[in-house]
Amino acid sequence: KQEVTQIPAALSVPEGENLVLNCSFTDSAIYNLQWFRQDPGKGLTSLLLIQSSQREQTSGRLNASLDKSSGRSTLYIAASQPGDSATYLCAVLQGAQKLVFGQGTRLTINP
Amino acid sequence: IAGITQAPTSQILAAGRRMTLRCTQDMRHNAMYWYRQDLGLGLRLIHYSNTAGTTGKGEVPDGYSVSRANTDDFPLTLASAVPSQTSVYFCASSGGGITDTQYFGPGTRLTVL
């Protein structure tokens, strides 16, 4: 059974810092890995999708990497801003369109 | 505005009652999904539908049923609610391909007493 783990569970950093969020998964037989953002009381918003054949994807200040063989992904956030405060979730796509989620990292950016 | 709508936003329900959570998307996506989100357990897939007329079971399907009569709607029914079904429920949709991301609705907060 696929298990997705995100470390740390919570992270607090000063504004302007670059930071890395980690995601690991136990079964490398995935179609893609996705990073989502969730604001309190809201639904999930897709940030980046990395296909299993890709190594990284970039969108603005965000860069996500994927090492499928080692079962790891990182989300790099450059020049963090208070508006980046949210919970970040990673998820891997397996057969039959089944996304398996990690429990998330709650990120706080302090002004 | 394109997207996914869910209703109700929140609901308090007596145990044993029947409840249907509604989900509608206007993106003409083939695939739709229902998840529940619980503290400490994360998001778990309840049921999914790859296309209108078909449904499948996810990780935690017991006590829930779904139907997919058309492309846009994917209701989730709790036939006889129990307190362990207290959760936040999210509906999502996608194109159904492995390069397609999932788009999520705003969620329904359900409390079963």
Side-chain angles (χ1 to χ4, degrees):
Chain A
K1 178 185 173 185
Q2 177 75 266
E3 293 184 3
V4 180
T5 303
Q6 292 186 245
I7 295 173
L11 181 64
S12 180
V13 300
E15 180 179 3
E17 283 201 1
N18 304 323
L19 58 99
V20 174
L21 306 181
N22 296 294
C23 173
S24 62
F25 49 95
T26 55
D27 184 351
S28 62
I30 64 171
Y31 291 109
N32 66 46
L33 183 143
Q34 301 178 41
W35 283 93
F36 293 88
R37 168 187 173 136
Q38 186 176 28
D39 293 289
K42 305 290 186 182
L44 280 67
T45 300
S46 177
L47 297 173
L48 290 164
L49 182 153
I50 311 176
Q51 297 179 49
S52 62
S53 59
Q54 297 177 322
R55 298 284 291 182
E56 66 177 337
Q57 280 287 340
T58 298
S59 176
R61 293 183 294 108
L62 305 180
N63 176 277
S65 68
L66 173 64
D67 184 342
K68 201 173 75 162
S69 61
S70 68
R72 296 178 187 276
S73 175
T74 62
L75 178 66
Y76 175 83
I77 302 177
S80 59
Q81 303 171 359
D84 294 330
S85 297
T87 296
Y88 290 80
L89 297 154
C90 75
V92 295
L93 182 68
Q94 299 198 280
Q97 284 292 304
K98 294 181 180 179
L99 266 180
V100 180
F101 283 84
Q103 293 194 31
T105 293
R106 188 174 67 254
L107 177 64
T108 302
I109 308 298
N110 301 305
Chain B
I1 298 176
I4 298 178
T5 58
Q6 292 185 237
T9 302
S10 65
Q11 182 75 44
I12 298 174
L13 189 67
R17 298 295 296 267
R18 180 184 179 89
M19 176 74 190
T20 295
L21 308 185
R22 300 184 298 279
C23 174
T24 300
Q25 55 104 356
D26 62 3
M27 297 175 280
R28 308 302 295 171
H29 282 162
N30 288 323
M32 296 187 75
Y33 317 85
W34 275 105
Y35 295 89
R36 59 179 290 174
Q37 186 175 35
D38 302 287
L39 195 64
L41 297 175
L43 275 141
R44 294 177 293 168
L45 182 66
I46 305 170
H47 284 288
Y48 65 94
S49 168
N50 286 331
T51 189
T54 69
T55 61
K57 293 182 180 180
E59 182 183 356
V60 288
D62 294 343
Y64 306 94
S65 63
V66 291
S67 61
R68 187 87 184 276
N70 57 60
T71 297
D72 299 342
D73 301 300
F74 191 43
L76 176 74
T77 297
L78 289 67
S80 178
V82 295
S84 62
Q85 293 178 310
T86 293
S87 187
V88 181
Y89 291 86
F90 289 100
C91 179
S93 72
S94 79
I98 61 173
T99 61
D100 295 321
T101 193
Q102 292 189 14
Y103 295 86
F104 282 74
T108 293
R109 182 174 295 275
L110 181 66
T111 302
V112 182
L113 301 176

